[in-house]
Amino acid sequence: MPERPYFETVRSFANVPITEHGVDTASFLEASDGLVKLFDLLGSGVFGFVQGDIKGNIEGVRSRYRDDASQLSTTLEDLVRSETSEGLRNGTACLIRLTRGLMFLCKALLHMQNDPSVELHVCFKRSYDEVLRRHHSFIVRSLAGVAVRAVPYRRDFIARISQGGDKEKFGTELANWLGGLDIIVDRLRAF
């Protein structure tokens, strides 16, 4: 029996619990780890700058989560409140940057799903302009522009990410996954 595609084996952002207290930290970190590893399937360093940034920020949030012996960080919102009350900022700063990185990827993939006639680099460029451009210097914007132009073709990207799995199932799963991520990043941005 063939292995299931990686996309089907990782925690979906659609399955990250959200309560009145906020977004479950442990589940969110697990889903974020899955997203980062998903881009390893592309086999190139195109997303290396995004991956590196996201990995570092995941570790910053995870470090705060692990260090909080009082378990005041069970939700992302509680993690921020806990740090604020202690006069700390590292976990919160990492969460802000992680949210931006996830929002960038989410918006790019939503553009891809919503406009099947547009090539992937256009989707990533739109997303970069919407989410990250205003946070970067001219030099970083120039580097990001080069990286965005190097993203794979849409068909190659989907083939690598879906790993030969059923395309319709992949589309449905991706839509659910992105829907969950979109809810989380919008919630965190508003918070």
Side-chain angles (χ1 to χ4, degrees), residues 46 49 119-125 142-153:
V46 171
F49 74 100
E119 252 329 308
L120 199 56
H121 73 275
V122 174
C123 299
F124 275 85
K125 172 76 168 87
S142 297
L143 293 172
V146 170
V148 163
R149 296 291 286 158
V151 298
Y153 290 108

Side-chain angles (χ1 to χ4, degrees), residues 87-104:
L88 301 173
R89 299 184 49 183
N90 188 55
T92 300
C94 288
L95 181 60
I96 289 168
R97 290 187 302 268
L98 176 58
T99 301
R100 285 181 192 149
L102 293 174
M103 188 180 304
F104 162 68

Side-chain angles (χ1 to χ4, degrees), residues 7 112 158 161-162 166-175:
F7 194 85
M112 180 187 82
I158 292 172
I161 298 294
S162 65
D166 179 88
K167 299 284 190 225
E168 189 173 315
K169 183 175 181 181
F170 170 75
T172 301
E173 288 297 316
L174 181 60

Side-chain angles (χ1 to χ4, degrees), residues 26-47:
S27 299
F28 173 80
L29 291 171
E30 183 184 348
S32 297
D33 284 335
L35 171 68
V36 170
K37 292 175 186 167
L38 185 70
F39 284 94
D40 287 338
L41 298 173
L42 297 177
S44 71
V46 171
F47 293 100

Side-chain angles (χ1 to χ4, degrees), residues 108-123:
L109 296 175
L110 284 170
H111 286 309
M112 180 187 82
Q113 280 212 311
N114 294 336
D115 195 350
S117 66
V118 173
E119 252 329 308
L120 199 56
H121 73 275
V122 174
C123 299

